[in-house]
Amino acid sequence: MGEFKYKIENKNYHTWNYHLRQRFNSKVFKVSLNGGFTCPNLDGKISRGGCTYCSNKGSGDFAGQVDDSISKQFENIKNIMEKKWHNAKYIAYFQAYTNTYAPVDYLKDKYEEALRQENVIGLAISTRPDCISEEVLDYLDDINKRTNLWVELGLQTIHDTTSKKINRGHNYQVFLDTLEKLRERNIDVVVHIINGLPGETYEMMMDTVKEISKLDIQGIKIHLLHVLKGTVMEKQLIRGDFQLLDKDFYTNLICDQLEILPQDLIIHRLTGDGKKDDLIGPIWSLKKWEVLNAIDEELKRRNSWQGKYYEG
């Protein structure tokens, strides 16, 4: 494949920031909200343990305070962001726990309040593929016709053996079935995967990305596995059940994965975030910009870019 099409600054991959600026001609922020949801992997419907890596905040460590209304959460976070960027637009991001796991009336109460906030141009909803009923699909279809909608589906890996190890609670086929239903309604889907899950080899992590590159998805979030205090995975790490990835391995892995993804696929994330006080490791992940800069430099060293070896 020839030259990279979606160049912005020094990035040789199709960044979320590039996409938003092209689409909305403005700086756009995500405002992370906590809608007071739970998860079937926590409340007993599937399990009470949750995924082995999940914190007690349900992956919403940077979301708003659950005791505050959606409007108050939005205002508090927006005020912080506006100090750096004035006159920005916003995406209301329902991040914590499973954000379609509730009756539709409850979803409407939360989502519609978020959409009423000034300068909100759409919703991003993080959820599990086994938590989108037909009734919820119909409501998401309605939202998608009125505003910009992104549904973020947690997959983590295509390997069902790994999914069982991390107590994920669903298999790959469930993900594929839900993806098909969302795309039938022309809803944009962002897939979450995690590099470094226990027992996964380099080849397994590459196979996940190879498989995803063939799917009808519009974005991907690639997370670095980071272990947080109080999780099942912390105990497993202390026992020596698995090892964390080092920075050089991760940098090269990400570049290898980017090279086989199609150029038009939007890269929403290339590493993971963990709060400093809660993070067990890898400690190097706290320096997020160093990680991203290392990826940029490695792509430059290789004279490479997203999609260079994509076989579509």
Side-chain angles (χ1 to χ4, degrees), residues 29-33 64 68-80 89-93 113-114 117-120:
F29 285 108
K30 271 185 171 179
V31 176
S32 294
L33 304 169
D68 292 338
S69 69
I70 295 299
S71 298
K72 186 174 181 181
Q73 290 182 46
F74 183 88
E75 190 67 23
N76 289 343
I77 297 171
K78 185 189 77 169
N79 288 342
I80 295 170
K89 294 182 173 68
Y90 301 97
I91 296 167
Y93 180 27
E113 183 177 356
Q117 305 307 306
E118 186 177 4
N119 288 328
V120 166

Side-chain angles (χ1 to χ4, degrees), residues 9-210:
E9 300 166 351
N10 64 332
K11 304 295 183 184
N12 282 350
Y13 55 92
H14 191 167
T15 69
W16 177 230
N17 183 48
Y18 174 89
H19 170 75
L20 292 174
R21 284 196 172 275
Q22 293 293 311
R23 184 166 177 179
F24 299 106
N25 195 32
S26 172
K27 182 65 179 178
V28 181
F29 285 108
K30 271 185 171 179
V31 176
S32 294
L33 304 169
N34 190 327
F37 295 91
T38 182
C39 174
N41 214 10
L42 290 170
D43 70 4
K45 184 176 181 181
I46 294 175
S47 172
R48 292 198 179 275
C51 300
T52 57
Y53 54 78
C54 195
S55 73
N56 60 12
K57 294 184 180 178
S59 300
D61 300 84
F62 298 97
Q65 298 297 315
V66 67
D67 293 335
D68 292 338
S69 69
I70 295 299
S71 298
K72 186 174 181 181
Q73 290 182 46
F74 183 88
E75 190 67 23
N76 289 343
I77 297 171
K78 185 189 77 169
N79 288 342
I80 295 170
M81 292 177 168
E82 281 188 335
K83 293 177 182 177
K84 185 173 181 180
W85 294 96
H86 302 290
N87 303 316
K89 294 182 173 68
Y90 301 97
I91 296 167
Y93 180 27
F94 285 88
Q95 180 181 23
Y97 296 99
T98 304
N99 293 276
T100 58
Y101 185 52
V104 169
D105 286 346
Y106 185 89
L107 301 184
K108 287 181 178 179
D109 181 59
K110 300 299 180 181
Y111 296 172
E112 300 300 333
E113 183 177 356
L115 286 171
R116 287 194 294 270
Q117 305 307 306
E118 186 177 4
N119 288 328
V120 166
I121 50 84
L123 293 179
I125 300 168
S126 181
T127 190
R128 292 168 57 95
D130 56 351
C131 290
I132 303 182
S133 66
E134 290 298 323
E135 190 177 9
V136 170
L137 278 167
D138 289 342
Y139 177 46
L140 294 176
D141 188 26
D142 172 63
I143 294 173
N144 195 45
K145 291 171 180 173
R146 293 187 279 126
T147 188
N148 303 287
L149 175 65
W150 296 266
V151 172
E152 301 194 6
L153 285 184
L155 171 61
Q156 320 317 354
T157 177
I158 65 165
H159 303 287
D160 288 344
T161 52
T162 305
S163 294
K164 289 179 181 177
K165 284 182 182 178
I166 64 175
N167 196 39
R168 183 64 189 161
H170 68 78
N171 60 25
Y172 183 43
Q173 189 59 51
V174 169
F175 167 84
L176 292 174
D177 293 344
T178 301
L179 173 63
E180 182 178 5
K181 292 175 182 178
L182 289 164
R183 292 305 298 143
E184 284 173 352
R185 292 162 171 82
N186 202 35
I187 295 171
D188 285 350
V189 174
V190 181
V191 178
H192 290 232
I193 65 169
I194 299 176
N195 282 327
L197 290 169
E200 292 220 340
T201 62
Y202 166 85
E203 288 76 18
M204 292 173 75
M205 290 181 269
M206 288 297 292
D207 283 345
T208 289
V209 171
K210 286 176 185 175

